[in-house]
Amino acid sequence: MADIPDRAFDVRVNSSDGKLLLVRGMDAFELDEIGAVIWRLCDGRRHVEQIAADLTQEYDIDMATARSDVETFVSELRKAQLLV
């Protein structure tokens, strides 16, 4: 089965000082630039592999690093119940 992350329906998104803030319940999570890009790409249509490929085009990183970073970030957001 492919890993296709999608945003949890009850997450509110705010932008502050150029940073993205995810709010779920009483918890808030501030994302840096790359985290915000990954969040936006987690739309329930893209595989982790596709998200990583998009990052390699946008930033100067290799595919293995991008995939590892995306997998780690997606895992952290799932533990926080921000992604399903």
Side-chain angles (χ1 to χ4, degrees), residues 8-67:
F9 75 95
D10 59 345
V11 176
R12 293 184 318 257
V13 180
N14 297 312
S15 186
S16 174
D17 296 327
K19 301 230 179 188
L20 204 62
L21 189 66
L22 307 180
V23 180
R24 184 172 185 274
M26 299 299 293
D27 297 319
F29 304 85
E30 186 176 338
L31 303 183
D32 62 14
E33 177 186 345
I34 295 177
V37 170
I38 295 171
W39 169 260
R40 288 184 185 106
L41 293 172
C42 290
D43 59 6
R45 297 181 303 210
R46 292 176 178 90
H47 298 254
V48 166
E49 189 80 17
Q50 292 168 310
I51 295 169
D54 287 350
L55 287 181
T56 64
Q57 293 177 1
E58 184 73 22
Y59 300 95
D60 186 25
I61 56 175
D62 62 89
M63 186 61 178
T65 300
R67 182 169 176 83

